[in-house]
């Protein structure tokens, strides 16, 4: 039965206080002394957090299913069973010194949307689902973004279940121990439902929105990534008796390469990143000329041709260093994530929601991985970013303003309503 248009609230709004209170209550589970959260994937604390979120979802009228990798789906039926589900969500596992908002915001913003719809008695044509993806952070078990990765077929369920933590506990054992080893198919290829649309809200985890005093980030996609291990091999020798021009100093040869990583990314500004985050000098001794330097390279770019140019530039820098004849350089690619452009129509809905709500907004590219990046391989996907204080996350001081979190949640509500259709 349809309400008459005059009784329809044209733009329902979420309950900002309830959203904030839920964020704070969930953050009690695994709370750290410094105000952060330590809730590693598939621990007893993760179980408590899952239980709490699902209890809230059931109170909001949802039914729940758990798949074989422990992903949770809280479902609110639509009026047209023939339509594919419109989904939202994120993750509730954290880094060991994590914050209250990374992931948790996306889950609880989705929950707040479901609660708001229940409060207002609003039905959607398509069903809605709130997803809680298993082990997004990857601190206890690798690979990262495990639940969404299995779902999208980035790797197999078997591979994920066999992954073990440092104590030798496997994901399979941990899921059984906390009672979240579900029976539903986990991968789309194995019959897991494919969504009609997926929208994930998240704190930005970077400084751009705050720096530009913008409330909403309209995420157009995620950067592609290429990671490398680089080993520069020279020869250890005594720092005293070995004259400068007879040295094969691996560190002095590695330094221009590390600086090249930074320069290569700047040459591709503003859409590239280049980072050397790990360096190991062997033997790392005050009076020995370094014989070997190992370092990592993390290149990111909005498009693949850009990543190709960065790859070529790195190899040219390596060739130059090798041409001097003092060292050998080995470059090993270790990880490749293709750039993930989001669905232009759904991204357009996010932009329209920001405009309709009168919120300042700008297009932004996600530099980090998110569950949405994997889900985008299976369904039209978009993300909504809100600012976080000083752009900091993966840190106990991670913080965000209640009014920004509420604004992102209001936008999420509008986008999900647009995607699912208001009955
Ligand atoms: Zn996250």
């Amino acid at each position: 039965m349809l309400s008459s248009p005059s009784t329809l609230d044209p733009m329902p709004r979420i309950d900002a206080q309830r959203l904030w209170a839920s964020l704070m209550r969930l953050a009690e589970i695994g709370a750290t002394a410094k105000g952060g959260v330590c809730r590693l994937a598939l621990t007893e604390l993760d179980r408590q957090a899952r239980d709490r979120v699902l209890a809230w979802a059931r109170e909001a009228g949802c039914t729940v299913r758990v798949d074989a990798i422990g992903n949770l789906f809280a479902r609110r039926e639509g009026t047209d069973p023939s339509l594919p589900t419109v989904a939202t969500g994120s993750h509730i596992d954290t880094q060991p010194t994590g914050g209250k908002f990374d992931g948790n915001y996306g889950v609880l913003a989705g929950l707040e949307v479901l609660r708001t719809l229940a409060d207002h008695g609003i039905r959607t044509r398509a069903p809605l689902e709130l997803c809680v993806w298993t082990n997004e952070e990857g601190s206890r078990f690798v690979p990262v973004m495990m639940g969404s990765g299995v779902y999208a077929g980035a790797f197999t369920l078997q591979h994920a279940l066999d992954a073990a933590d440092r104590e030798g506990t496997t994901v399979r054992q941990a899921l059984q121990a906390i009672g979240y080893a579900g029976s539903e198919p986990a991968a789309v290829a194995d019959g897991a439902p494919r969504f009609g649309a997926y929208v994930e809200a998240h704190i930005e985890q970077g400084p751009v929105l705050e720096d530009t005093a913008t409330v909403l980030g309209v995420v157009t996609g995620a950067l592609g990534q290429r990671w490398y291990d680089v080993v520069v091999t020279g020869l250890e020798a005594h720092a005293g008796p070995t004259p400068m021009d007879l040295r094969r100093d691996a560190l002095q040869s590695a330094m221009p390469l590390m600086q090249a990583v930074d320069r290569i990314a700047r040459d591709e500004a503003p859409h590239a990143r280049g980072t050397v985050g790990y360096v190991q000098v062997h033997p790392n001794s005050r009076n020995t000329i370094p014989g070997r330097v190992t370092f990592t390279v993390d290149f990111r770019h909005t498009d693949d041709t850009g990543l190709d140019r960065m790859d070529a530039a790195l190899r040219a820098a390596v060739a130059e260093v090798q041409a001097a004849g003092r060292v050998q350089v080995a470059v090993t690619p270790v990880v490749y994530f293709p750039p993930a452009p989001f669905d232009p129509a759904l991204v357009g809905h996010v932009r329209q929601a920001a405009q309709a709500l009168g919120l300042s907004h700008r297009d932004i590219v996600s530099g980090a991985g998110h569950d949405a990046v994997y889900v985008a391989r299976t369904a039209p996907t978009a993300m909504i970013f809100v600012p976080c204080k000083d752009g900091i996350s993966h840190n106990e001081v991670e913080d965000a303003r209640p009014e920004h979190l509420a604004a992102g949640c209001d936008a999420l509500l509008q986008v999900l309503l647009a995607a699912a259709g208001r009955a």
Side-chain angles (χ1 to χ4, degrees):
M1 197 176 70
L2 287 171
S3 321
S4 76
S6 61
T7 63
L8 275 179
D9 178 357
M11 193 179 288
R13 303 295 287 259
I14 61 98
D15 183 335
Q17 254 178 352
R18 182 172 54 190
L19 171 63
W20 181 258
S22 299
L23 279 161
M24 294 306 110
R25 277 207 64 199
L26 195 60
E28 290 166 3
I29 303 173
T32 63
K34 289 182 185 164
V37 179
C38 174
R39 195 164 62 230
L40 301 187
L42 309 184
T43 54
E44 165 60 20
L45 290 171
D46 188 11
R47 180 191 68 76
Q48 290 174 28
R50 287 162 172 259
D51 287 356
R52 185 166 291 183
V53 169
L54 290 185
W56 283 335
R58 288 192 176 100
E59 282 166 23
C62 296
T63 56
V64 170
R65 73 173 195 280
V66 183
D67 75 15
I69 193 64
N71 293 324
L72 315 178
F73 303 90
R75 181 179 179 85
R76 186 175 195 269
E77 293 299 340
T79 55
D80 184 347
S82 72
L83 291 174
T85 301
V86 170
T88 184
S90 194
H91 60 95
I92 57 172
D93 65 315
T94 76
Q95 291 283 321
T97 53
K100 301 182 189 79
F101 303 99
D102 179 359
N104 297 292
Y105 171 58
V107 170
L108 295 181
L111 175 73
E112 178 53 38
V113 166
L114 298 175
R115 286 169 160 175
T116 300
L117 295 177
D119 289 349
H120 292 254
I122 296 170
R123 300 293 307 274
T124 53
R125 289 203 293 277
L128 293 175
E129 278 187 9
L130 171 63
C131 314
V132 181
W133 302 104
T134 291
N135 183 34
E136 193 273 348
E137 295 289 0
S139 6
R140 183 179 174 201
F141 299 104
V142 285
V144 299
M145 300 185 284
M146 181 178 275
S148 52
V150 169
Y151 174 78
F155 37 84
T156 65
L157 172 66
Q158 209 56 37
H159 177 71
L161 290 174
D162 288 342
D165 67 8
R166 288 194 191 94
E167 275 74 55
T169 305
T170 63
V171 167
R172 183 184 286 100
Q173 291 166 333
L175 278 169
Q176 278 158 3
I178 66 166
Y180 276 99
S183 53
E184 299 283 327
V188 169
D190 294 333
R194 191 185 287 271
F195 300 131
Y198 177 78
V199 189
E200 180 169 341
H202 209 283
I203 56 168
E204 182 198 351
Q205 301 183 283
V208 175
L209 295 178
E210 187 175 75
D211 190 55
T212 55
T214 308
V215 175
L216 228 68
V218 179
V219 188
T220 55
L223 299 179
Q225 307 184 26
R226 279 199 193 183
W227 298 357
Y228 307 82
D229 286 341
V230 181
V231 182
V232 180
T233 308
L235 189 67
E236 294 101 283
H238 197 299
T242 318
M244 300 311 288
D245 55 355
L246 293 181
R247 293 173 178 220
R248 297 177 58 201
D249 186 327
L251 180 58
Q252 294 302 322
S253 296
M255 285 196 298
L257 290 178
M258 293 192 259
Q259 288 180 316
V261 169
D262 187 88
R263 190 198 64 236
I264 288 164
R266 288 173 196 276
D267 287 348
E268 295 280 338
H271 290 309
R273 317 271 190 267
T275 306
V276 176
Y278 171 97
V279 181
Q280 208 171 37
V281 179
H282 176 83
N284 217 18
S285 170
R286 182 186 298 273
N287 44 28
T288 300
I289 298 161
R292 188 174 68 244
V293 172
T294 304
F295 66 95
T296 58
V297 176
D298 176 327
F299 277 154
R300 303 185 186 212
H301 201 291
T302 43
D303 65 81
D304 256 332
T305 55
L307 284 174
D308 288 346
R309 284 192 300 273
M310 295 174 85
D311 180 84
L314 176 65
R315 288 174 195 279
V318 165
E320 204 175 307
V321 164
Q322 294 220 96
R326 312 302 295 177
V327 295
Q328 288 298 313
V329 186
V331 179
T332 312
V334 288
V335 163
Y336 168 65
F337 287 112
F342 288 157
D343 182 69
L346 203 56
V347 172
H349 282 319
V350 176
R351 209 175 283 119
Q352 284 155 24
Q355 280 156 4
L357 290 159
L359 299 168
S360 59
H361 60 93
R362 60 183 293 138
D363 286 5
I364 192 167
V365 182
S366 175
H370 291 290
D371 293 309
V373 176
Y374 276 148
V375 179
R377 297 183 183 184
T378 68
T381 295
M383 289 188 80
I384 299 170
F385 278 177
V386 296
C388 56
K389 188 167 183 292
D390 301 324
I392 290 174
S393 81
H394 286 197
N395 189 316
E396 292 163 279
V397 305
E398 179 185 282
D399 202 3
R401 287 173 42 186
E403 63 270 31
H404 291 160
L405 299 168
C409 189
D410 265 323
L412 180 66
L413 168 61
Q414 297 309 319
V415 177
L416 292 176
L417 277 178
R422 198 166 163 172

